[in-house]
Amino acid sequence: MKQFREAVEARDADAMRELLADDVVFTSPVAFKPYPGKAITSAILRGVLRVFTDFRYIREINDTGGRDSALVFEATVDGKRVTGCDFIHVDEEGKIDDFMVMVRPLSGAQALAAAMGAQFDQIAAEAAAEEAAKEAGR
């Protein structure tokens, strides 16, 4: 998905958020349960921006129907080099409704789990604030 790739490469968290469907489901490479919802998904993506360094996409694979994409990336987290893939599905409106990430090697996934774990209180607080703002705006 070209728009998401450009938003990530620009480190534009607002643009990334705008591409998410309200009912997006995020599946982490290091957590057992998926995370449903735009608020938590956008907060997780902001956390990822904080922990990944030297991030770059190296390949983009799209289906012929234009609804499924795989974005292969390389990054460093806590001194460990990781290779990963963002698997993205978009709904009929072109919004991301399914987002799954996989990373390798195991040592990189472990470093990512530790780094994101250290971010999780902030991630949860950001998601709660976004949900509260959404409720207040209704």
Side-chain angles (χ1 to χ4, degrees):
M1 151 164 252
K2 183 179 182 207
Q3 301 94 328
F4 184 77
R5 179 178 181 161
E6 289 172 349
V8 172
E9 289 172 338
R11 301 183 65 82
D12 186 341
D14 291 335
M16 292 164 53
R17 184 188 176 288
E18 289 306 311
L19 293 169
L20 300 174
D22 289 339
D23 62 348
V24 63
V25 175
F26 179 82
T27 304
S28 165
V30 296
F32 179 72
K33 275 182 15 181
Y35 296 95
K38 186 174 188 171
I40 190 68
T41 300
S42 60
I44 289 168
L45 293 174
R46 287 189 301 273
V48 169
L49 290 176
R50 291 188 293 267
V51 302
F52 275 161
T53 59
D54 304 322
F55 183 93
R56 67 185 183 105
Y57 283 115
I58 59 172
R59 184 174 315 135
E60 183 173 344
I61 304 163
N62 298 293
D63 75 340
T64 55
R67 301 216 18 219
D68 289 289
S69 300
L71 302 172
V72 182
F73 64 84
E74 292 177 339
T76 303
V77 59
D78 196 25
K80 302 282 184 186
R81 195 80 184 134
V82 297
T83 302
C85 190
D86 295 335
F87 295 96
I88 296 171
H89 180 269
V90 297
D91 62 17
E92 297 81 19
E93 297 171 4
K95 299 283 187 176
I96 298 170
D97 63 358
D98 187 50
F99 192 122
M100 180 174 60
V101 180
M102 293 187 176
V103 297
R104 64 161 308 280
L106 178 58
S107 61
Q110 290 168 329
L112 179 59
M116 289 301 289
Q119 292 277 320
F120 211 78
D121 285 345
Q122 181 177 351
I123 289 168
E126 289 177 8
E130 186 172 325
E131 284 292 335
K134 180 179 174 183
E135 287 296 317
R138 284 189 183 185

